[in-house]
Amino acid sequence: MIEWLTRREVWLYLPVLDFRKQMDGLIQIVSSEMARKPNDGSVYVFRNRSGDKLKLVMWDRNGFWLGYKRLETGR
């Protein structure tokens, strides 16, 4: 497993997400709808309607990371 990920909490946003949202929109969801601090070091995971795409937002010392994963098969 990736070492930097083993020491972080992972939060899944359960409602499906409009994947046109970019980093600022996702950070807004974390702070307003999830009532969390986006820069607390946790990883926030969002999924699309079909469940084959994921976006991850994470704070890393001096800025945010935005990760995107598209699954070729499965969910």
Side-chain angles (χ1 to χ4, degrees):
M1 176 162 244
I2 302 171
E3 185 175 331
W4 58 266
L5 188 56
T6 60
R7 295 180 298 244
R8 297 182 187 265
E9 289 184 1
V10 177
W11 293 85
L12 177 63
Y13 182 70
L14 293 178
V16 294
L17 183 72
D18 177 4
F19 255 44
R20 292 177 290 182
K21 287 198 181 293
Q22 296 300 316
M23 189 175 315
D24 291 335
L26 298 175
I27 292 168
Q28 182 64 32
I29 288 173
V30 170
S31 59
S32 64
E33 294 183 32
M34 297 176 76
R36 304 274 310 159
K37 291 184 178 181
N39 59 352
D40 67 356
S42 298
V43 178
Y44 298 95
V45 181
F46 304 88
R47 67 179 178 92
N48 68 341
R49 184 170 304 283
S50 61
D52 63 346
K53 295 180 183 90
L54 300 173
K55 282 190 176 181
L56 287 75
V57 174
M58 180 187 74
W59 175 261
D60 184 31
R61 288 179 279 175
N62 61 356
F64 285 100
W65 285 91
L66 175 65
Y68 179 81
K69 177 72 172 184
R70 183 182 72 199
L71 305 173
E72 293 298 325
T73 58
R75 293 185 182 137

